[in-house]
């Protein structure tokens, strides 16, 4: 059996493309996503020992139950990828509905925190494993009409770099900018212009090997997929 890899937001976009690359490479994937129908479809396609579950990372208790099942059946992950994220409707900050602001932080920041709290104790006890928290170009720069998304991804950068200082030797926490990829999220901002960039499947063929070579030597580095 290859490595055990946990991925949130696995039903579409980058998460799904990564899962398929890792599975094709002989690794075991445990993933979660909000869409129960897509999860069932993917579980049937991938089969065992892969383990997919319908989980909304905003729900702390659901995240803990899912993590407990993964840990009991597969053990601590070798690679934990926090990918689940949403983007608020593009708008000047003063026009953004407060509920969209709250949901962005609930998924992109609090949801990531719940996943880390659920998996980290077992990983720290083993003193091995790499945590990759998906940041963004907009976690290191800014643009108009996406202030909330920028704020959540800047939070991901800070959270991850501080976590890196807390981990024992042998582990790594890395904020990762995936680069610019043609996804539904990007199309919600740029429309058809997003088509100038690589599709998630093409991106994953570069990103998966890059992620697999990350090690404790990369702890605390803000990296970008080449």
């Amino acid at each position: 059996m290859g490595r055990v890899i946990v991925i949130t937001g696995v039903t579409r976009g980058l998460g799904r493309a990564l899962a398929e690359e890792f599975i094709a490479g002989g690794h075991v994937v445990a993933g979660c996503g909000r869409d129960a129908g897509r999860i069932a479809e993917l579980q049937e396609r991938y089969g065992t020992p892969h383990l997919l579950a319908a989980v909304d990372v905003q729900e702390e208790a659901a995240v803990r139950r899912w993590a407990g099942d993964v840990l009991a059946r597969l053990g601590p992950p070798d690679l934990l990828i926090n990918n689940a994220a949403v983007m608020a409707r593009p708008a000047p900050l003063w026009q953004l509905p407060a509920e969209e602001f709250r949901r962005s932080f609930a998924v992109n920041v609090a949801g990531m925190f719940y996943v880390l709290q659920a998996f980290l104790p077992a990983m720290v006890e083993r003193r091995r494993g790499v945590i990759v928290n998906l940041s963004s170009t907009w976690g290191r720069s800014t643009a108009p009409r996406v202030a909330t998304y920028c704020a959540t991804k800047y939070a991901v950068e800070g959270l991850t770099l501080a976590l890196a200082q807390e981990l024992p030797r042998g582990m790594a926490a890395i904020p990762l900018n995936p680069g610019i990829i043609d996804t539904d999220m990007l199309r919600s901002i740029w429309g058809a212009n997003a088509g100038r960039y690589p599709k998630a499947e093409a991106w994953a063929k570069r990103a998966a090997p890059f992620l697999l070579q990350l090690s404790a030597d990369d702890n605390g580095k803000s990296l970008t997929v080449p």
Side-chain angles (χ1 to χ4, degrees):
M1 185 172 76
R3 301 187 202 181
V4 173
I5 301 171
V6 169
I7 309 173
T8 66
V10 78
T11 55
R12 63 183 69 229
L14 306 189
R16 181 168 176 172
L18 279 176
E20 292 181 346
E21 281 297 311
F22 289 135
I23 289 170
H27 305 286
V28 176
V29 170
C32 75
R34 286 176 296 149
D35 189 325
R38 284 178 178 264
I39 286 290
E41 172 196 328
L42 292 174
Q43 182 65 70
E44 182 177 1
R45 178 186 304 177
Y46 300 149
T48 56
H50 311 294
L51 187 60
L52 305 181
V55 177
D56 187 338
V57 296
Q58 296 178 86
E59 300 175 7
E60 181 182 4
V63 169
R64 289 194 176 277
R65 287 193 297 271
W66 168 59
D69 187 40
V70 172
L71 292 169
R73 295 169 66 176
L74 299 177
D78 300 296
L79 176 60
L80 171 60
I81 303 172
N82 272 302
N83 165 69
V86 296
M87 178 177 282
R89 175 174 56 86
L93 188 62
W94 61 90
Q95 294 178 0
L96 185 72
E99 179 53 37
E100 291 199 41
F101 181 88
R102 285 191 290 267
R103 181 167 178 262
S104 294
F105 274 86
V107 175
N108 300 5
V109 184
M112 181 176 292
F113 168 73
Y114 299 149
V115 172
L116 292 170
Q117 281 222 317
F119 282 100
L120 273 173
M123 298 175 73
V124 168
E125 182 178 3
R126 192 175 62 165
R127 303 178 74 86
R128 190 169 80 245
V130 173
I131 300 103
V132 174
N133 294 331
L134 267 288
S135 178
S136 171
T137 300
W138 285 331
R140 300 170 191 173
S141 64
T142 56
R145 299 172 61 84
V146 290
T148 296
Y149 189 74
C150 292
T152 64
K153 291 304 184 178
Y154 267 82
V156 168
E157 290 275 335
L159 180 151
T160 309
L161 295 176
L163 171 62
Q165 296 174 310
E166 300 169 346
L167 293 175
R169 288 182 179 274
M171 297 185 66
I174 298 154
L176 182 73
N177 173 13
I180 304 176
I181 307 103
D182 181 8
T183 61
D184 291 344
M185 186 179 290
L186 189 65
R187 284 181 177 263
S188 73
I189 305 292
W190 289 353
N193 287 332
R196 294 181 297 171
Y197 296 95
K199 298 287 188 184
E201 294 75 16
W203 169 85
K205 292 188 181 301
R206 292 183 288 109
F210 177 77
L211 289 166
L212 289 170
Q213 58 85 36
L214 296 174
S215 71
D217 292 340
D218 298 300
N219 187 37
K221 297 179 181 178
S222 289
L223 299 178
T224 300
V225 174

Coordinates of all heavy atoms in Angstrom, one line a residue, residues 179-183 186-187 190-200 202-203 206:
G179 N -1.5 28.1 -7.6 CA -1.3 28.7 -8.9 C -2.7 29.1 -9.5 O -3.7 28.9 -8.8
I180 N -2.8 29.5 -10.7 CA -4.0 29.9 -11.3 C -4.5 28.7 -12.2 O -3.9 28.3 -13.2 CB -3.9 31.2 -12.2 CG1 -3.3 32.3 -11.3 CG2 -5.2 31.6 -12.7 CD1 -3.0 33.6 -12.0
I181 N -5.7 28.2 -11.9 CA -6.2 27.0 -12.6 C -7.7 27.3 -13.0 O -8.4 28.0 -12.3 CB -6.2 25.8 -11.6 CG1 -4.8 25.6 -11.1 CG2 -6.6 24.5 -12.4 CD1 -4.7 26.0 -9.7
D182 N -8.1 26.8 -14.1 CA -9.4 27.0 -14.6 C -10.4 26.1 -13.9 O -10.5 24.9 -14.1 CB -9.4 26.6 -16.1 CG -10.8 26.8 -16.8 OD1 -11.7 27.3 -16.1 OD2 -11.0 26.4 -17.9
T183 N -11.0 26.7 -12.8 CA -12.0 26.0 -12.0 C -13.3 26.7 -12.0 O -13.4 27.9 -12.5 CB -11.5 25.8 -10.6 OG1 -11.3 27.1 -10.0 CG2 -10.1 25.1 -10.5
L186 N -12.8 30.0 -10.2 CA -12.1 31.1 -11.0 C -13.1 31.6 -12.1 O -13.1 32.8 -12.3 CB -10.9 30.6 -11.7 CG -10.0 31.6 -12.4 CD1 -9.4 32.6 -11.3 CD2 -8.9 31.0 -13.2
R187 N -13.9 30.8 -12.6 CA -14.9 31.2 -13.6 C -16.0 32.1 -13.0 O -16.5 33.0 -13.7 CB -15.5 30.0 -14.4 CG -14.6 29.4 -15.4 CD -15.2 28.2 -16.1 NE -14.2 27.8 -17.1 CZ -14.2 28.1 -18.4 NH1 -15.1 28.9 -18.8 NH2 -13.3 27.7 -19.2
W190 N -13.8 35.4 -13.3 CA -13.2 35.8 -14.6 C -14.0 35.4 -15.8 O -13.7 35.7 -16.9 CB -11.8 35.3 -14.8 CG -10.8 36.1 -13.9 CD1 -11.1 37.1 -13.1 CD2 -9.4 35.7 -13.7 NE1 -9.9 37.5 -12.4 CE2 -8.9 36.7 -12.8 CE3 -8.6 34.8 -14.2 CZ2 -7.6 36.7 -12.4 CZ3 -7.3 34.7 -13.8 CH2 -6.8 35.7 -12.9
G191 N -15.0 34.5 -15.6 CA -15.8 34.1 -16.7 C -15.0 33.2 -17.7 O -14.1 32.5 -17.3
A192 N -15.3 33.4 -19.0 CA -14.6 32.6 -20.0 C -13.1 32.9 -20.0 O -12.3 32.0 -20.5 CB -15.2 32.9 -21.4
N193 N -12.6 34.0 -19.5 CA -11.2 34.2 -19.4 C -10.4 33.2 -18.6 O -9.2 33.0 -18.8 CB -10.9 35.6 -18.9 CG -11.3 36.7 -19.9 OD1 -11.2 36.5 -21.1 ND2 -11.6 37.9 -19.4
A194 N -11.1 32.5 -17.7 CA -10.4 31.5 -16.9 C -9.9 30.3 -17.8 O -9.0 29.6 -17.5 CB -11.4 30.9 -15.9
G195 N -10.5 30.2 -19.0 CA -10.1 29.2 -19.9 C -8.7 29.3 -20.5 O -8.2 28.4 -21.1
R196 N -8.1 30.4 -20.2 CA -6.7 30.6 -20.6 C -5.7 29.8 -19.7 O -4.5 29.7 -20.1 CB -6.3 32.1 -20.6 CG -7.0 33.0 -21.6 CD -6.6 34.4 -21.5 NE -6.9 35.0 -20.2 CZ -6.5 36.2 -19.7 NH1 -5.7 36.9 -20.5 NH2 -6.9 36.6 -18.6
Y197 N -6.2 29.3 -18.6 CA -5.3 28.6 -17.6 C -5.6 27.1 -17.7 O -6.6 26.7 -18.2 CB -5.6 29.2 -16.3 CG -5.2 30.7 -16.2 CD1 -6.2 31.7 -16.4 CD2 -3.9 31.1 -16.0 CE1 -5.8 33.0 -16.4 CE2 -3.5 32.4 -16.0 CZ -4.5 33.4 -16.2 OH -4.1 34.7 -16.2
P198 N -4.6 26.4 -17.1 CA -4.8 24.9 -17.1 C -6.0 24.4 -16.4 O -6.4 25.0 -15.4 CB -3.5 24.4 -16.4 CG -2.6 25.6 -16.4 CD -3.4 26.8 -16.4
K199 N -6.6 23.3 -16.9 CA -7.6 22.6 -16.2 C -7.1 21.9 -15.0 O -5.9 21.6 -14.9 CB -8.3 21.6 -17.1 CG -9.0 22.2 -18.4 CD -10.2 22.9 -18.0 CE -11.0 23.3 -19.3 NZ -12.2 24.1 -19.0
A200 N -8.0 21.6 -14.0 CA -7.6 20.9 -12.8 C -6.8 19.6 -13.1 O -5.8 19.3 -12.4 CB -8.8 20.7 -11.9
A202 N -5.0 18.7 -15.7 CA -3.6 18.9 -16.1 C -2.7 19.4 -15.0 O -1.6 19.0 -14.8 CB -3.6 19.9 -17.3
W203 N -3.3 20.3 -14.2 CA -2.6 20.8 -13.0 C -2.2 19.7 -12.1 O -1.0 19.7 -11.5 CB -3.4 21.9 -12.3 CG -2.9 22.3 -11.0 CD1 -2.0 23.3 -10.7 CD2 -3.3 21.8 -9.7 NE1 -1.8 23.4 -9.3 CE2 -2.6 22.5 -8.7 CE3 -4.2 20.7 -9.3 CZ2 -2.7 22.2 -7.3 CZ3 -4.3 20.5 -7.9 CH2 -3.6 21.2 -7.0
R206 N 1.1 17.8 -12.4 CA 2.3 18.4 -11.9 C 2.2 18.5 -10.4 O 3.2 18.3 -9.7 CB 2.4 19.9 -12.4 CG 2.7 20.0 -13.9 CD 2.8 21.4 -14.4 NE 1.6 22.1 -14.4 CZ 1.2 23.1 -13.5 NH1 2.0 23.4 -12.5 NH2 0.1 23.7 -13.7

